Amino acid sequence: MCGIIGEFVSSERLVDRNTFKKLNNLNYFRGPDMEGYWTNETNCQLGFRRLSILDLSVEGNQPICSNNGRFAMTFNGEIYNYLEIKNTLLQKGIQFKSTSDSEVLVNAFQVFGVAKTLDMIDGMFAIGLYDKEDNSISLIRDFAGIKPLFYGVKNGNVNFGSRYDQVTKHPRFINNGVDENVLHTYIQSHYLPAPYGIQKQTYQVEPGQIVTVTSTGQITKKYYWRLPKVESSSLIKDASVAKEIIIGALNQSVRSELVADVPVGTFLSGGIDSPLITYFANKNTPNIKSYTIGSDSKVLDETQKAKEYSELIGTRHFIEKMESKDAASILEDCMTNLQEPFADFSLIPTYVVSKIAKNNGSTVVLSGDGADELFYGYKRYESLLKNTSYSFIPKPLRYTAYGVDKVLFNNKHINSNFLKNSYAEAHRGMHSRINDANLQNIFNTSKVKKLPLPAYSYENGNSETDILLAMQYGEFYDMMQKTLTKVDRMSMAHSIEVRVPFLKKSFIESAVKIHPELSYKKGGTKLILKDVLRAVIPEAPIDKIKKGFGVPLEKWLREQLKEIVEDTLFSKSFLTSFNISENALQQIWAAHQTSKQDQKWILFTLYSLAKWQENLKK
């Protein structure tokens, strides 16, 4: 796990090396072990900060060039099947100086070409690849979007990095204003979904995408991988077959992600996903370390359940509880380590559990993220499917039907999703916790254009199965991206590499072949994973309600966090910069403080925006 940066110009000069080095060093905590630099002396320069995971020697440093000199690469991530590819390259006469995956990868690009190499590899990565022969650069992001890759484009000149502020603090973009359309996408989504950047002319490479820039400034974008879509008739419906597929694929995925030259541990909660990862990790590396964060909130704390799992699995378990009195200082630390606005407040426990892992000697940690999206772990599915029995009602009559059901049956049969133009629109709306009226009152949204999101490009399905498969696609490219952003930023704040076995490409391609009905039934989610967990840990306490890594933010905003959040939200600089109505915001703040309404989402979303603005000036 590392941090990368690069610049490729067609109509301007490269920035001076000292400026470039300062931007590279923003990646210090992503890569505290060394820094590297490469340039062709004309139109391309690449930078690197290393967190040593494989081959701890200097031979594993970057940027790195292919043996024939055609490609220069800066690469963040891990290639899990690099040894198999290395053996193939050895048979073709390629010689290696290191035992790193980066040297394998850059020479695979040399021997097989970019397209075939991307088809061969399995892992998580963000890559800047300069092609001397074509005088072009390609920015490549992994299949699931685990690793971040931001870039800016102005007059055909491109700079990119692992951190968003490496783009926004570059001299070319330092004075760029905020894109109003992206700002409102952030407010409604609570994070910045790819491909958007909140400042003008800044972007994110999407999961599974290559962005290529030529020496004349021409830009092409293409997907080399998308979440596979399997015909419903081909889906596996036999539960015993599906269970064996998951056990085999997950064991293989975890085993390959345990490979490291530094200590590896796991995050362990009291749910389904992380106990499965921890079980297979401990099976392959007995007595592995596992880490749990709790809180002094009895409603949210699940440390006892995580401890039960640890004892059943046999890990060396470490637990730490957050105290409400520490909320303000922890939040300040979290905000300092965000480089773009981000408003999922579960970043707080993620930051703390990453710190626990670092303090107890783990440099690599395995997590259970991705399972909810692949195995239908959210209540949103039921919320959307609730209305399908009434889809025959013509659209002009739907408001009437909704009103009748609301008055007579308290929306027992129909909910507000029924009023949307499509399932995709309704699905997108369920991810926003911002009331449209509040948004309009705070901002002048009359001229704002609603930006499309790739996650919701699907068509209405003809059956419940079709709808579930479409929603799986949407969750993969939206909710999961927000979760991965949180985990990446908070773990890298402590120089921790988090690996995600559920999101190994080979596992994903196995998981999508399993019929949704094995995971989801009305009132039940992730059913097949629960069956797998029972199979490998018969005494697993899975019938209890999962609480998750949570914090009582609603309460904290009235108590421990009240002062620092209020001072930030009502600063003149923030209100003026974003043309926010102070009166409207005061009403929302007062409603929350008096417990009339729970407004934590909009308050925290605006707070994170304000802290981003502050950090940008530093």
Side-chain angles (χ1 to χ4, degrees), residues 79-82 85 105 108-109 116-123 125 127 140 143 224 505:
I79 305 302
Y80 299 125
N81 61 338
Y82 77 101
I85 298 170
L105 180 59
F109 285 128
K116 186 175 180 180
T117 297
L118 292 175
D119 186 56
M120 294 171 65
I121 62 176
D122 198 346
F125 47 83
I127 302 169
I140 310 167
F143 322 100
Y224 66 88
K505 183 175 69 169

Side-chain angles (χ1 to χ4, degrees), residues 69 116 140 231 304 417 447 450 459 600:
K116 186 175 180 180
I140 310 167
E231 291 294 326
Q304 182 56 41
N417 290 321
K447 296 182 181 180
K450 190 171 186 178
E459 302 293 330
K600 62 177 176 286

Side-chain angles (χ1 to χ4, degrees), residues 89-305:
L89 291 171
L90 285 168
Q91 293 170 15
K92 292 182 177 292
I94 298 296
Q95 299 298 310
F96 295 91
K97 299 176 182 178
S98 75
T99 58
S100 71
D101 56 347
S102 54
E103 189 180 9
V104 173
L105 180 59
V106 74
N107 282 292
F109 285 128
Q110 170 189 310
V111 172
F112 303 115
V114 174
K116 186 175 180 180
T117 297
L118 292 175
D119 186 56
M120 294 171 65
I121 62 176
D122 198 346
M124 58 179 186
F125 47 83
I127 302 169
L129 185 70
Y130 173 71
D131 185 337
K132 180 180 178 181
E133 185 175 301
D134 293 342
N135 195 14
S136 66
I137 196 161
S138 293
L139 310 180
I140 310 167
R141 193 173 178 200
D142 68 64
F143 322 100
I146 300 170
K147 295 295 98 197
L149 188 51
F150 300 96
Y151 67 103
V153 182
K154 187 176 285 187
N155 300 323
N157 304 293
V158 178
N159 54 286
F160 64 91
S162 296
R163 288 173 48 129
Y164 186 52
D165 58 355
Q166 291 177 295
V167 176
T168 57
K169 291 183 177 181
H170 189 285
R172 192 175 294 122
F173 294 93
I174 193 70
N175 294 318
N176 273 32
V178 167
D179 184 314
E180 292 293 322
N181 296 325
V182 178
L183 168 63
H184 290 282
T185 298
Y186 160 71
I187 296 296
Q188 292 180 312
S189 298
H190 315 292
Y191 82 114
L192 287 167
Y196 303 114
I198 196 168
Q199 290 196 186
K200 296 174 182 176
Q201 299 173 294
T202 66
Y203 311 92
Q204 300 175 62
V205 180
E206 294 179 48
Q209 186 183 54
I210 308 176
V211 177
T212 301
V213 187
T214 68
S215 59
T216 59
Q218 292 181 311
I219 299 175
T220 59
K221 303 176 185 180
K222 66 177 181 181
Y223 298 120
Y224 66 88
W225 189 92
R226 298 301 276 171
L227 185 71
K229 295 183 178 180
V230 182
E231 291 294 326
S232 57
S233 59
S234 301
L235 294 169
I236 296 166
K237 300 180 73 172
D238 187 310
S240 62
V241 171
K243 187 165 65 174
E244 289 306 310
I245 287 173
I246 293 171
I247 290 173
L250 193 56
N251 183 53
Q252 190 277 331
S253 182
V254 170
R255 184 170 63 246
S256 68
E257 296 194 16
L258 287 169
V259 176
D261 294 328
V262 293
V264 181
T266 73
F267 291 147
L268 179 60
S269 72
I272 305 300
D273 317 326
S274 62
L276 274 172
I277 298 300
T278 302
Y279 167 81
F280 286 110
N282 198 68
K283 177 182 177 182
N284 287 280
T285 307
N287 205 28
I288 199 168
K289 291 180 180 179
S290 57
Y291 304 100
T292 298
I293 183 67
S295 73
D296 54 8
S297 168
K298 293 182 180 179
V299 175
L300 296 171
D301 184 71
E302 62 171 9
T303 53
Q304 182 56 41
K305 193 173 175 187

Side-chain angles (χ1 to χ4, degrees), residues 33-100:
D33 296 330
M34 65 80 64
E35 63 175 308
Y37 177 81
W38 177 92
T39 181
N40 65 358
E41 304 292 350
T42 54
N43 69 333
C44 182
Q45 56 184 340
L46 304 176
F48 181 71
R49 293 280 337 182
R50 185 181 185 194
L51 176 62
S52 301
I53 301 294
L54 291 172
D55 189 345
L56 308 186
S57 75
V58 296
E59 299 296 343
N61 292 345
Q62 296 184 46
I64 189 170
C65 295
S66 59
N67 286 4
N68 68 357
R70 175 176 176 177
F71 292 104
M73 181 185 76
T74 185
F75 153 64
N76 165 30
E78 305 290 344
I79 305 302
Y80 299 125
N81 61 338
Y82 77 101
L83 290 176
E84 294 94 320
I85 298 170
K86 184 175 185 176
N87 287 334
T88 303
L89 291 171
L90 285 168
Q91 293 170 15
K92 292 182 177 292
I94 298 296
Q95 299 298 310
F96 295 91
K97 299 176 182 178
S98 75
T99 58
S100 71

Side-chain angles (χ1 to χ4, degrees), residues 9-10 26 101 139 242 275 296 347 386 415 422 433 477 484 610:
V9 298
S10 61
L26 291 173
D101 56 347
L139 310 180
D296 54 8
L347 62 86
K386 178 178 182 177
N415 60 31
S422 66
R433 308 293 184 89
Y477 287 110
L484 292 172

